[in-house]
Amino acid sequence: MSSSDRIELSIDPGTWNPMDEDMVSMDPIEFHSEEESESYKNRMDSYQRKTGLTETVQTGTGQLNGIPVAIGIMDFQFMGGSMGSVVGEKITRLVEHAGNQLLPLIL
């Protein structure tokens, strides 16, 4: 199940407010694995096109049965849910937002 499907099934209709959708991983060290035939940047571009997501995790707020919540959902279809720097930053921002707004956090 994709993260978008999970959001649609979990969050009350019309209440989803995504956070940090514009954040994307960069490749400052030009990472290239001996096992992989294409570069990290090319793989990221490919998964972005394939899934329609910018990153492995979607974060945001919404309501679950009328209860306001902060939620983060990993998507295995995006590089097997691998966690890069942006994923960690998005999760950190979500946790901080939930704490500041006194929201239950679902991750």
Side-chain angles (χ1 to χ4, degrees):
M1 175 180 291
S2 73
S3 58
S4 296
D5 290 342
R6 178 71 65 191
I7 291 166
E8 188 175 323
L9 287 172
S10 303
I11 299 300
D12 297 347
T15 66
W16 175 244
N17 295 305
M19 295 173 58
D20 302 314
E21 286 183 298
D22 58 340
M23 293 180 69
V24 292
S25 287
M26 305 304 285
D27 187 17
I29 63 170
E30 299 179 4
F31 178 75
H32 188 78
S33 169
E34 297 288 325
E35 293 85 34
E36 299 291 335
S37 60
E38 60 182 330
S39 72
Y40 179 77
K41 182 184 179 334
N42 287 345
R43 287 189 302 145
M44 286 293 292
D45 291 344
S46 173
Y47 280 105
Q48 287 170 346
R49 283 190 306 276
K50 183 171 122 179
T51 65
L53 302 173
T54 56
E55 265 299 334
T56 297
V57 68
Q58 290 195 66
T59 58
T61 59
Q63 293 185 12
L64 178 60
N65 294 326
I67 301 168
V69 297
I71 187 167
I73 301 176
M74 302 290 284
D75 199 315
F76 189 78
Q77 295 173 23
F78 195 106
M79 291 181 76
S82 99
M83 186 173 171
S85 61
V86 168
V87 173
E89 180 65 21
K90 286 180 74 167
I91 290 171
T92 298
R93 288 179 180 202
L94 180 68
V95 170
E96 289 173 346
H97 180 76
N100 291 336
Q101 299 299 312
L102 302 176
L103 295 173
L105 174 64
I106 302 167
L107 185 59

